[in-house]
Amino acid sequence: MWDKIKDQAKTFQQSQGTRGASGHGPGQQGYGQQGHGGGSASSTGGSKAQLIGLFKSQLASVKTELKSGAYRDASMAMCALVAAADGQVEPAERQRVEELIVSNEVLQNFPADQLRQRFNQHVDKLVANFELGRSEALQVIAKAAKKPAEARAVIQTGMVIAGADGVFEPSEQYAIREACTALGVPPSEFGV
């Protein structure tokens, strides 16, 4: 799965005309998957980290274009949807995702308190009533569809959060596919 996503990311990078090197930022720690199984061989760990670095690099290359409220709100809804993809969000997981959000280079275009507030509002709704919270999050995500670059950046932001722990759970893949549908972006573009 990661190899397919990596190929898709390279294709996307080439279509965007970027040639950035992937790197590893301080905010790339996992955010706490709880024994859902599905671990991978350690020999693919490097490629997963490189893929996350590639998505971060792609996002950084369009950072100046990602300053709208629609991108901010859709990204926080996306992060919450990914964090709650398995139907629950433990306090430690919530805190780690918040740390990933506020340390993300592109999301630093926005005040950290705004990001935390929007993320936590979505998480609270998802935890209280998953289906209603999911529906509301997808509606917010869909608002970024007007600008294709922002729509793809929202998906990449979700991919960075989902892959930060090195495991791309089926529930996270499903959340990414739903967001792609809401944004009118083919899920195959991201290998999901």
Side-chain angles (χ1 to χ4, degrees):
M1 171 58 83
W2 279 105
D3 290 336
K4 183 177 178 183
I5 295 171
K6 187 165 99 174
D7 292 341
Q8 294 291 334
K10 286 181 183 177
T11 301
F12 178 76
Q13 182 181 27
Q14 290 168 352
S15 74
Q16 295 295 309
T18 58
R19 300 274 188 251
S22 61
H24 302 287
Q28 286 190 322
Q29 303 91 328
Y31 67 88
Q33 288 296 329
Q34 298 180 310
H36 296 350
S40 301
S42 60
S43 63
T44 62
S47 65
K48 289 176 191 174
Q50 288 172 344
L51 177 62
I52 298 305
L54 178 60
F55 281 133
K56 283 184 163 188
S57 176
Q58 290 170 349
L59 283 167
S61 72
V62 293
K63 178 180 178 177
T64 58
E65 300 171 35
L66 301 174
K67 294 184 179 182
S68 76
Y71 168 71
R72 175 200 59 210
D73 295 348
S75 291
M76 292 306 93
M78 179 83 257
C79 291
L81 200 57
V82 167
D86 63 359
Q88 62 184 359
V89 183
E90 299 296 326
E93 179 180 18
R94 183 187 292 229
Q95 182 178 352
R96 282 189 288 274
V97 174
E98 278 187 32
E99 290 169 3
L100 287 169
I101 288 168
V102 299
S103 67
N104 182 287
E105 181 181 350
V106 175
L107 292 172
Q108 289 176 359
N109 282 336
F110 309 101
D113 60 329
Q114 285 182 11
L115 299 174
R116 281 189 187 100
Q117 177 189 23
R118 284 166 174 78
F119 169 73
N120 283 306
Q121 284 174 343
H122 284 291
V123 170
D124 291 343
K125 289 177 183 179
L126 285 158
V127 169
N129 181 333
F130 185 79
E131 288 305 315
L132 181 60
R134 182 180 137 277
S135 176
E136 289 181 20
L138 289 170
Q139 287 174 7
V140 171
I141 289 168
K143 291 179 183 178
K146 294 175 186 170
K147 295 182 180 176
E150 286 186 5
R152 283 169 175 77
V154 168
I155 300 300
Q156 287 178 312
T157 300
M159 297 287 287
V160 167
I161 297 299
D165 64 352
V167 179
F168 196 22
E169 298 290 337
S171 60
E172 294 168 336
Q173 293 175 41
Y174 183 76
I176 299 287
R177 282 193 300 273
E178 282 191 310
C180 286
T181 300
L183 290 165
V185 177
S188 60
E189 189 173 311
F190 294 93
V192 293

